[in-house]
Amino acid sequence: MANLFRTFSIGLVVVASGLQAGTFAQTTSPGGWLTPDWGMPAITTATRKPAPRRNLEGTWAPFGRFGGGTQAGGVQAKPNNGRPENQLPYTPFGLALYKSHKALEGADAVKPADGNDPRNLCEPLGMPRTNHYNLGLTQIFQDDHKVAVLYQYDNRWRVIWTDGRQLPTLVDGGVELGGELREQRLFGYSVGRWVDDYTFEARTIGTMSEDRAWLDSTGRPISDQVRVTETFKRIGLDEMEWSETIDDPKVYSKPWETMKFTMRLHDPRTDIMEYYCSPIDQANYNKVFANTVSK
Amino acid sequence: MRRWSVITLAVAVGLVTPWVAFAHHGGAAFDNGKTAVLKGTVVEWIYSNPHCLLRLDVKGEDGKVVQWIAEGQAPNVIFPGGYRKDTFKVGDVVTVTVEPVKNNEPMGRILQTVLANGKVLGRASSAGSDEAIQRR
């Protein structure tokens, strides 16, 4: 852990002092605590700067206005709004699973007190839902061995190994690693590689079972047999495309793309406010508001 | 049904700031498309996850005081719109536009705020995602 944070610190210094120098007009906020700048001008062909090679580091957020990565209505590429083009290729098991979920968002939303979203118990989102729940300011650090992604929501982070190790073998109840059955993980087991100098591909397996995890806030399901493939494509100094495809034969009859965000680089000095789920706060909120409005 | 005698109930389109549809409680409980304009006295302002909550005493035309609870999003979400921990002080007289809940309880979610000094919050940086706007 200490090494990881040392790596983060080194990465931060590198980013702050070199790669991004002169990119940001924002200077200081009171006390030097920079707040996110949601008013950065659009990038044009004339203003686009070349992307650094094999580098994802920085503080990123979905392009445009604040809140662009919310996905309250379902994963970005397929919102759960009842439109035919957004219907998902459920297997019979997947459809039954979806119907068992009582979501607070989407086409089949229920009132707050009637929901059964594990998130409302402050259950960690895990992969891949962490990419589909209020994707906000996201910090990425890397070294010769790994890429680390730090999410704003719930101060969660995950590691994508880039040192050449192979993905474990996905088996029932977990993964096989070196001849041993290893446990399922909230954020799974991830490895990544550079497809070319500007395109990084990450693959993840070994996530939690379907009774612990949802795909999105509208109750779309995901199982522990899912294989998640993410692509981070650096298209400029200030821009990166982040896409995700899931292949979950237990729940969906074919792979499908869940998101394709264009991310905008923010000032690396930006102070990111906490945004978390606290069981105490959640209980208080339910008592004061949610339970009453659900009557 | 409670009488919202002091409020103006109106169609929301074009009147208020688009709501930021941040996930975790959903919109099923709210009467989408309606607004209630509340002028009242601040009783409590809870600046907390998962949602900020504003208690407001609102006096009706019949002289009766009804305590409303207006919900805001989490601090990090409403911060860009200018909402801070000390935005509301007990005793402040403010005007809050809410989207009321369906079951006629005196509750809603904050769409816009006019502070005692006339400053308007929620109009600029509370603007939500395109997705959120489409939902309205």
Side-chain angles (χ1 to χ4, degrees):
Chain A
M1 200 62 193
N3 287 338
L4 185 62
F5 282 106
R6 191 178 309 122
T7 303
F8 291 172
S9 302
I10 293 169
L12 192 61
V13 170
V14 170
V15 171
S17 63
L19 293 172
Q20 324 298 341
T23 300
F24 301 96
Q26 192 179 15
T27 53
T28 58
S29 293
W33 291 72
L34 291 188
T35 54
D37 181 359
W38 299 108
M40 289 185 283
I43 296 169
T44 65
T45 303
T47 59
R48 179 169 292 117
K49 298 173 183 174
R53 290 179 63 251
R54 300 191 174 219
N55 191 321
L56 301 178
E57 290 196 304
T59 298
W60 301 90
F63 210 96
R65 293 176 300 177
F66 175 70
T70 303
Q71 303 174 84
V75 295
Q76 181 236 14
K78 293 278 186 185
N80 188 352
N81 54 15
R83 292 178 185 167
E85 66 270 25
N86 293 326
Q87 299 303 309
L88 301 183
Y90 288 115
T91 63
F93 175 78
L95 184 59
L97 201 53
Y98 172 68
K99 289 180 176 177
S100 75
H101 292 171
K102 305 304 176 191
L104 306 187
E105 304 282 358
D108 301 304
V110 301
K111 291 179 178 177
D114 300 328
N116 60 8
D117 186 344
R119 193 228 73 96
N120 290 336
L121 299 173
C122 294
E123 181 73 3
L125 301 174
M127 271 293 285
R129 190 176 177 187
T130 192
N131 286 344
H132 307 300
Y133 189 87
N134 297 337
L135 185 65
L137 288 156
T138 306
Q139 298 174 85
I140 299 180
F141 299 92
Q142 68 184 71
D143 64 18
D144 291 339
H145 310 287
K146 57 191 170 296
V147 169
V149 184
L150 284 67
Y151 294 86
Q152 179 174 16
Y153 179 72
D154 237 10
N155 283 20
R156 300 286 175 177
W157 55 270
R158 67 190 181 101
V159 166
I160 304 164
W161 292 103
T162 59
D163 55 3
R165 71 185 67 186
Q166 300 297 304
L167 269 182
T169 302
L170 187 58
V171 297
D172 283 342
V175 299
E176 183 187 322
L177 194 58
E180 297 181 330
L181 176 65
R182 295 290 299 272
E183 75 285 0
Q184 294 170 329
R185 294 178 175 177
L186 285 161
F187 291 86
Y189 297 76
S190 300
V191 300
R193 68 184 181 100
W194 287 96
V195 176
D196 59 41
D197 283 347
Y198 306 101
T199 307
F200 180 78
E201 181 186 81
R203 293 178 295 147
T204 300
I205 62 167
T207 52
M208 301 302 279
S209 55
E210 50 271 24
D211 59 331
R212 295 282 300 275
W214 287 15
L215 172 64
D216 66 20
S217 295
T218 72
R220 267 95 165 255
I222 199 80
S223 84
D224 54 11
Q225 296 304 300
V226 70
R227 296 175 182 273
V228 182
T229 302
E230 295 165 277
T231 301
F232 302 77
K233 187 173 180 60
R234 194 80 184 250
I235 54 181
L237 176 63
D238 302 309
E239 300 158 285
M240 177 175 69
E241 189 178 274
W242 185 359
S243 60
E244 179 194 277
T245 298
I246 59 169
D247 182 2
D248 187 348
K250 196 171 176 180
V251 174
Y252 302 104
S253 60
K254 59 183 180 182
W256 55 282
E257 186 175 71
T258 53
M259 72 177 204
K260 182 182 280 186
F261 278 110
T262 300
M263 307 293 287
R264 177 71 184 264
L265 191 65
H266 282 246
D267 192 314
R269 299 166 295 174
T270 301
D271 179 56
I272 301 174
M273 287 178 70
E274 286 189 336
Y275 184 27
Y276 55 83
C277 191
S278 150
I280 291 175
D281 289 343
Q282 184 72 37
N284 185 54
Y285 168 74
N286 291 342
K287 180 181 175 184
V288 173
F289 195 87
N291 293 341
T292 304
V293 304
S294 298
K295 291 176 182 174
Chain B
M1 177 177 175
R2 281 176 199 274
R3 292 183 61 219
W4 298 337
S5 54
V6 296
I7 64 176
T8 302
L9 206 58
V11 176
V13 177
L15 179 63
V16 295
T17 307
W19 183 248
V20 185
F22 275 76
H24 46 69
H25 64 54
F30 297 95
D31 202 347
N32 293 329
K34 291 187 177 177
T35 60
V37 182
L38 312 170
K39 185 172 183 179
T41 304
V42 173
V43 175
E44 186 180 24
W45 170 231
I46 303 172
Y47 196 68
S48 173
N49 283 286
H51 290 274
C52 299
L53 296 169
L54 177 67
R55 289 184 188 271
L56 200 63
D57 278 347
V58 180
K59 182 183 287 187
E61 289 175 350
D62 57 2
K64 291 184 178 177
V65 173
V66 174
Q67 187 167 106
W68 278 73
I69 301 177
E71 176 203 82
Q73 287 289 347
N76 80 298
V77 178
I78 63 176
F79 185 92
Y83 292 91
R84 301 290 184 270
K85 186 174 173 60
D86 61 353
T87 290
F88 301 99
K89 298 180 181 66
V90 175
D92 283 355
V93 176
V94 298
T95 302
V96 179
T97 303
V98 301
E99 184 175 64
V101 296
K102 289 177 181 171
N103 67 2
N104 297 316
E105 292 288 338
M107 295 174 155
R109 52 183 174 186
I110 302 170
L111 300 175
Q112 189 180 69
T113 297
V114 182
L115 299 176
N117 63 8
K119 185 177 180 181
V120 178
L121 299 179
R123 186 177 297 277
S125 47
S126 288
S129 63
D130 291 340
E131 158 199 320
I133 293 167
Q134 286 167 8
R135 291 180 57 207
R136 289 194 57 81

